[in-house]
Amino acid sequence: MTAATPVHDTGTPTGSARIAKVIRLQLINPQTFVVLPLVILGASFAISMMIFGVIAYSVDDMTDPLYGGGSQAPLWYFMVIGVQALSFTFPFSQALSITRREYFLGTFATAGLTSLTLAITFLIGGVIEQATDGWWFDGYFFYVPWIWDQGAVVAALLYLVIAMFAFTVGFWATTIYKRWGTSSLVAVGVGLAVVLIVVAFVISWQGGWPSFGRWFADLQPVVAALLILAVDAVLAGLSYLTIRKAIP
């Protein structure tokens, strides 16, 4: 008679556990994903409010609301986060026997959570600005009329995909650097610039700028969000394909 052999827990982490480990790895140094975005957001908000205050104090008959581009600073900083996320932690992840797929998923999950937090912050700030008529002196940092044209949910979605777009561009560029080196990264940048110039030439050749201008002016926030999301997905796919052969 043969006794059944009990199955013991080997303690080997599952794939989802290793993805969670990557998220913890990315957040060990909170400066990259948490501290610096908050510092940039707080600084750009304070500077914008001070500039708005000077204008409101200096102009007696001001009737138009005040808007600025300072709110873009924390969104575009996610491009730097994309570069740092791969540069700082990718070698350590390989030493911890984490697969490249798990590293990719964990890193993008971290970026998604951080981008969502930033989008919610913009959402709350926009609601406050609408309730207080721009902090009681018509100065708006979070609330941009066109972005909020289709409601708060669409506005939050647009902020989310813009932050993820910036992160994905930085991450993708760094995977190219890790895989093929500086020359290839420069070549890709030059190639993209040439493509944009050719597209601009074709539009000019066909006399399409008026139509393009009308399409751009009529673009709705939700359509813009979906287009950016599609670009995000393509760049994320290219990043995954590249990081599979990247050198830590």
Side-chain angles (χ1 to χ4, degrees):
M1 180 177 179
T2 304
T5 304
V7 177
H8 298 287
D9 183 5
T10 60
T12 303
T14 62
S16 58
R18 283 197 288 266
I19 292 173
K21 184 182 294 184
V22 173
I23 296 175
R24 289 197 298 273
L25 178 66
Q26 294 290 5
L27 296 176
I28 284 178
N29 180 5
Q31 283 201 357
T32 302
F33 276 96
V34 180
V35 176
L36 285 179
L38 289 176
V39 169
I40 293 173
L41 174 62
S44 58
F45 174 75
I47 292 171
S48 296
M49 288 298 108
M50 286 188 285
I51 294 173
F52 291 164
V54 170
I55 295 174
Y57 179 78
S58 304
V59 180
D60 294 329
D61 55 349
M62 189 181 73
T63 56
D64 295 329
L66 297 168
Y67 300 101
S71 58
Q72 297 180 28
L75 294 171
W76 293 118
Y77 173 71
F78 270 71
M79 191 178 296
V80 179
I81 294 179
V83 174
Q84 293 181 336
L86 184 62
S87 302
F88 292 168
T89 60
F90 184 48
F92 292 105
S93 71
Q94 300 307 286
L96 295 172
S97 301
I98 294 171
T99 67
R100 293 167 189 244
R101 174 179 171 275
E102 292 159 352
Y103 175 81
F104 174 82
L105 293 175
T107 301
F108 267 76
T110 310
L113 291 172
T114 313
S115 299
L116 179 61
T117 303
L118 186 67
I120 293 173
T121 303
F122 270 72
L123 182 65
I124 295 172
V127 171
I128 294 174
E129 289 184 340
Q130 291 179 83
T132 59
D133 291 330
W135 309 104
W136 299 281
F137 67 97
D138 250 0
Y140 295 89
F141 178 83
F142 298 102
Y143 174 75
V144 178
W146 179 80
I147 292 179
W148 286 71
D149 189 48
Q150 292 183 299
V153 174
V154 174
L157 175 63
L158 192 54
Y159 287 128
L160 172 64
V161 297
I162 290 174
M164 282 302 299
F165 170 74
F167 172 84
T168 308
V169 169
F171 190 89
W172 175 55
T174 311
T175 60
I176 294 173
Y177 170 76
K178 288 283 188 181
R179 176 65 181 89
W180 291 292
T182 305
S183 300
S184 298
L185 179 59
V186 174
V188 170
V190 172
L192 289 175
V194 171
V195 169
L196 291 176
I197 292 172
V198 171
V199 170
F201 172 74
V202 171
I203 294 175
S204 298
W205 177 41
Q206 296 295 322
W209 284 114
S211 300
F212 178 80
R214 285 191 296 271
W215 172 81
F216 191 76
D218 295 337
L219 188 64
Q220 295 180 330
V222 67
V223 176
L226 294 176
L227 289 174
I228 296 172
L229 184 62
V231 176
D232 284 352
V234 172
L235 292 180
L238 292 174
S239 299
Y240 177 66
L241 294 176
T242 309
I243 200 174
R244 293 176 65 186
K245 301 294 182 182
I247 301 171

